Amino acid sequence: MIRQGLGRSGRRLRLHLLPTLGTVDLGGITPPTVRAWRAERLAATGSTTVAKAYRLLKAILQTAADDELIPRNPCRIRGAGKESAPERPIATVAQVDALADAMGPRWRLMLFLATYGPARPEELAALRRLDIDTEDVGVWIRSAEPEPATGRRAPGDTKSDAGRRFLALPGFMRKDLERHLSWWAEKKPNGLPFVGEKGAPFRRSTFGRNWRKARAKVGLPGDFRFYDLRHTGHTLSTRSGATLKDTTVRAGQSSERAALIYQHSDRERQKEVAAGIDARVQNERCRAAGKATAEESGTQRAGHN
């Protein structure tokens, strides 16, 4: 039986291995079992995450084979541990706005935080009312609550120490923050900002259905994931003048190489980056509005002729 306790790999073990394989005896983990587990994980999360989880599973079972607890390592899928991260699509500002409209006012702020933060889905799930700063226009990311295949949230730490951070947001989001806290968030001080119509914490399955409908309505491709809003946010940051150092801090990413090469991007600098995003979004919205007005005027002139 696979047991927990691998230090740095504990989170991956807890989220991706234990829910399915945690109660299976070592001898019962066969190549078909591994293939079925991998297929289920690929359907539920990204291929890069699955590749990392597969490597962890393979290492655990190789240790079991070396100790002669099992006759042979059942992880035999060629290339399954190789990470392949193709370039992800990005949305335009107009498409993000259209998605927010299609999802409805209850979920508008969540889409904006995923894009202009950009916050991870599990970070959004862990937010509390006290984490939202309307005066400084930002949110504090202090923890994460991923939702694995079991359907139960798994409260815990952020992906790394760098994940605990203050997300400075574009100025235009001040009104969105204030409205959301007033209209949709739980009223208790430590209440959840994002709850469903019946007051329960949002679930990946229910939210996913609404997301797919909104995505289709806006005309985005079927492979455009909610997580791709985060990639959209990274792209907007760099196009708005953010350096790689700024983007690394903003994304809550951490690696030994980044720690050695890129130093701290302080809160004031993050506000500058947010201001750059604000200017770019406002400019694109103005251009879209101007184009729409011009097209409407042209249609009206044609109607008079």
Side-chain angles (χ1 to χ4, degrees):
M1 186 181 296
I2 295 177
R3 298 291 185 184
Q4 193 168 5
L6 293 183
R8 292 175 58 188
S9 300
R11 178 183 172 89
R12 196 167 295 134
L13 179 71
R14 175 167 54 89
L15 296 180
H16 303 290
L17 300 188
L18 291 179
T20 303
L21 303 174
T23 58
V24 181
D25 289 338
L26 284 173
I29 302 178
T30 62
T33 304
V34 174
R35 287 195 294 272
W37 163 81
R38 180 172 177 268
E40 183 273 328
R41 285 290 78 205
L42 285 171
T45 190
S47 59
T48 299
T49 299
V50 177
K52 292 177 179 177
Y54 179 86
R55 291 201 303 270
L56 175 60
L57 177 63
K58 186 175 182 179
I60 293 171
L61 294 177
Q62 186 58 52
T63 299
D66 292 342
D67 291 344
E68 300 183 351
L69 298 176
I70 54 176
R72 186 181 175 190
N73 192 333
C75 292
R76 306 170 198 169
I77 306 173
R78 183 174 297 178
K82 182 179 179 181
E83 294 180 36
S84 177
E87 184 67 24
R88 295 302 308 167
I90 63 172
T92 64
V93 170
Q95 287 172 325
V96 173
D97 285 344
L99 279 170
D101 290 341
M103 289 291 290
R106 180 182 293 275
W107 307 113
R108 176 184 177 88
L109 179 64
M110 181 182 286
L111 264 71
F112 282 177
L113 288 177
T115 306
Y116 303 122
R120 298 179 176 92
E122 61 269 27
E123 294 170 345
L124 292 170
L127 281 179
R128 295 296 185 269
R129 188 182 184 96
L130 290 173
D131 296 326
I132 298 177
D133 188 335
T134 57
E135 183 175 345
D136 227 8
V137 194
V139 297
W140 286 98
I141 304 297
R142 310 178 198 271
S143 58
E145 290 188 14
E147 186 180 327
T150 60
R152 293 184 178 182
R153 287 188 179 182
D157 294 331
T158 53
K159 192 172 183 179
S160 66
D161 289 342
R164 292 189 291 274
R165 64 205 187 278
F166 179 78
L167 284 177
L169 299 170
F172 72 84
M173 285 185 61
R174 183 193 301 273
K175 185 176 293 185
D176 290 294
L177 293 173
E178 293 174 342
R179 285 178 174 175
H180 190 90
L181 289 177
S182 176
W183 295 350
W184 309 112
E186 290 183 325
K187 300 307 179 184
K188 54 187 178 182
N190 201 36
L192 293 168
F194 301 115
V195 292
E197 293 181 2
K198 296 181 180 180
F202 76 92
R203 292 299 179 191
R204 185 176 61 187
S205 56
T206 304
F207 184 84
R209 287 194 293 270
N210 293 334
W211 163 257
R212 288 188 290 274
K213 290 178 182 178
R215 180 181 62 193
K217 184 176 182 180
V218 171
L220 285 167
D223 64 344
F224 188 89
R225 307 168 304 172
F226 182 79
Y227 202 87
D228 288 326
L229 293 176
R230 180 170 157 85
H231 182 54
T232 297
H234 292 333
T235 303
L236 280 169
S237 293
T238 56
R239 289 178 180 176
S240 302
T243 64
L244 181 57
K245 173 182 63 176
D246 298 326
T247 304
T248 299
V249 172
R250 194 168 188 78
Q253 294 172 333
S254 177
S255 69
E256 291 183 4
R257 185 166 181 236
L260 290 171
I261 298 175
Y262 304 110
Q263 301 302 311
H264 184 60
S265 175
D266 64 23
R267 188 162 166 180
E268 287 304 313
R269 175 57 187 160
Q270 288 297 311
K271 288 183 179 180
E272 292 174 5
V273 173
I277 297 173
D278 181 71
R280 189 173 189 89
V281 171
Q282 299 280 34
N283 183 51
E284 291 197 24
R285 285 176 171 173
C286 287
R287 284 167 52 191
K291 182 179 179 181
T293 301
E295 290 176 350
E296 183 179 351
S297 299
T299 301
Q300 290 175 345
R301 287 196 298 272
H304 290 306
N305 291 336

